Amino acid sequence: TIDLSKLIDQPPLDGTSEEDWAALNELMTRYRTPPFGPTSVQYGDRLMIKGKRAVPAILNGFKRLDLATPEGAEIGWKIQTLLLQGLCNDTNFGWRRETKPADVLFNQQVIQRWFRAWEVAGEDDEIWAEIARLKDIPPGLTKPPPGTASPAAEKNG
């Protein structure tokens, strides 16, 4: 297995107040805490409304799931397909809804890939579109400095 606690928590995006950051983390905690039900959906909807500003809090909650439990595997699937895919240009790295050791490892690798993708793409929709198209992070793709064109935009001319 992979120790996801070693993934460094993602910081809030620039311009996110401490109060907003606390609220995003609270929404994510409520969303990912079993059992998943109608109130969970409301918390997810509120995260979606926040757009990419919510992604760091979502990722930080994602790595804290107990993937060895049926609830954790199911909520992880929902986090990827309902929240992250919706916020990151339909990016989907796959997910296994079972809890066998091989499935847990696969899902841990998916979470790692989401962290790497966020570090590369951040708020850049063009990079997310490229990641979604390839279903992986293109080698050599790096996050552009603020105020410059993305590598995906430059590549596509």
Side-chain angles (χ1 to χ4, degrees), residues 96-126:
R96 296 185 182 168
R97 294 165 85 174
E98 301 294 322
T99 58
K100 293 180 249 152
D103 300 318
V104 171
L105 178 61
F106 180 86
N107 291 341
Q108 289 170 330
Q109 291 168 334
V110 167
I111 292 171
Q112 282 184 318
R113 193 170 297 134
W114 273 104
F115 270 76
R116 283 195 308 274
W118 178 252
E119 289 168 4
V120 168
E123 298 178 82
D124 191 312
D125 286 333
E126 291 183 44

Side-chain angles (χ1 to χ4, degrees), residues 9 11 17-18 21 23-24 31 35-36 40 52 56 77 88 118 121 124 131 137 139 142 144 150 156:
D9 277 351
S17 70
E18 286 184 34
W21 182 238
L24 288 168
Y31 185 82
F36 195 90
S40 304
K52 286 206 177 56
W77 177 77
C88 299
W118 178 252
D124 191 312
I131 290 171
I137 304 157
T142 59
S150 72
N156 296 330

Side-chain angles (χ1 to χ4, degrees), residues 3-18:
D3 183 358
L4 295 176
S5 70
K6 291 186 178 181
L7 290 173
I8 297 170
D9 277 351
Q10 296 298 305
L13 292 178
D14 288 344
T16 304
S17 70
E18 286 184 34

Side-chain angles (χ1 to χ4, degrees), residues 63-75:
K63 76 175 192 173
R64 288 173 170 84
L65 289 174
D66 183 353
L67 301 173
T69 67
E71 296 84 8
E74 185 67 19
I75 293 169

Side-chain angles (χ1 to χ4, degrees), residues 92-93 128-139 141 155:
N92 186 322
F93 295 124
W128 279 115
E130 185 72 5
I131 290 171
R133 186 180 69 75
L134 297 173
K135 297 197 183 318
D136 204 354
I137 304 157
L141 191 60
K155 187 174 123 184

